[in-house]
Amino acid sequence: MTNPFKRPFSPTVKLIFFSVLLGLSLIAYVIVNNKIENGKMAEPVSEFVDLSCCDLTELEGDKISLTVPGEYAANATEESLAKTASDLGYESITLNDNGSVTYVMTKDQHREMLDNLKSGINQTFDKMIGSADYNKITSIEANDDFTYIKVNLSSKNADYKNSMSMIQFKTYFLLYNAFNGTPDAKLTVEYFNKDGELVLKMGSDDL
């Protein structure tokens, strides 16, 4: 499978991505890449991350400050976060007292982060289509911020097994919107049967 993070990063930075295989993952899209490489992106998720700590603030000099839940930092230490910030060219990555993590970076770096995260999530959705867990799903279409997802089915109705894909959709919706700085965003997922009829509609609060 093609690695969505292969460019435009330098060989040095790409080594950081693969360090997740050693348990050193510190950036959300690095975690996504690891799961893609190991085919584990569609594993069931039983709990959702609380985004209440998320904050995106514009700073002087075309920079932003982004705070995300500590769950997306893979139990990182202050030292490892500082090294990652240096390797990726961020101004800083700080571990806060409440366990959250704050990134200070340029707006271009933030856009690059979101682009890579988006690529990883969309690639994961492609893997879900027709898989053993979601065998009736024929296509998955998401908008740019993953607040709306359209699922097409080959069956007449959305059975329990395939409707459980909603768990995965919410997981990646939360992940993207944490790093997008939009924690209050709402998710809508619509399932359409083989005749193009809407057979199931679910939202963020349904799980």
Side-chain angles (χ1 to χ4, degrees):
M1 177 174 293
T2 302
N3 186 336
F5 311 113
K6 201 166 188 177
R7 292 180 296 180
F9 301 112
S10 67
T12 300
V13 174
K14 282 190 285 185
L15 288 176
I16 298 172
F17 290 146
F18 288 105
S19 72
V20 71
L21 299 175
L22 302 176
L24 301 177
S25 56
L26 306 174
I27 307 299
Y29 56 80
V30 181
I31 299 173
V32 172
N33 184 59
N34 175 58
K35 291 187 176 182
I36 292 171
E37 292 290 330
N38 291 283
K40 296 180 179 179
M41 233 3 190
E43 289 182 346
V45 177
S46 58
E47 296 182 357
F48 298 108
V49 176
D50 179 6
L51 302 190
S52 60
C53 71
C54 291
D55 178 72
L56 177 64
T57 304
E58 292 197 9
L59 307 175
E60 294 182 356
D62 198 42
K63 294 181 181 180
I64 61 103
S65 170
L66 173 68
T67 298
V68 300
E71 287 91 336
Y72 293 139
N75 298 316
T77 63
E78 290 185 8
E79 291 76 13
S80 60
L81 288 171
K83 182 179 186 304
T84 296
S86 176
D87 289 337
L88 293 179
Y90 297 169
E91 182 170 311
S92 64
I93 307 177
T94 305
L95 183 62
N96 302 314
D97 291 341
N98 65 358
S100 64
V101 175
T102 298
Y103 301 79
V104 177
M105 65 183 79
T106 67
K107 291 180 180 179
D108 284 343
Q109 288 171 331
H110 185 229
R111 281 191 290 269
E112 184 177 54
M113 172 189 282
L114 292 176
D115 285 345
N116 281 280
L117 181 54
K118 186 181 300 182
S119 295
I121 294 173
N122 280 324
Q123 193 169 5
T124 298
F125 289 172
D126 288 342
K127 284 180 64 76
M128 291 172 64
I129 296 170
S131 65
D133 289 328
Y134 310 113
N135 60 325
K136 294 298 193 304
I137 294 179
T138 59
S139 69
I140 300 171
E141 304 166 25
N143 64 356
D144 284 344
D145 59 3
F146 300 99
T147 55
Y148 175 77
I149 299 173
K150 178 182 178 181
V151 183
N152 290 308
L153 305 169
S154 61
S155 56
K156 190 70 175 176
N157 296 297
D159 60 24
Y160 174 80
K161 184 176 182 180
N162 287 281
S163 64
M164 287 299 289
S165 59
M166 179 65 186
I167 294 175
Q168 299 308 114
F169 296 141
K170 183 170 180 178
T171 298
Y172 305 126
F173 154 79
L174 290 172
L175 174 65
Y176 184 84
N177 282 280
F179 281 83
N180 193 37
T182 49
D184 295 328
K186 297 296 183 181
L187 170 66
T188 299
V189 180
E190 294 182 335
Y191 293 80
F192 292 82
N193 67 13
K194 63 180 181 179
D195 298 319
E197 300 168 333
L198 178 63
V199 292
L200 180 64
K201 182 175 182 178
M202 300 182 73
S204 306
D205 298 332
D206 293 326
L207 288 176

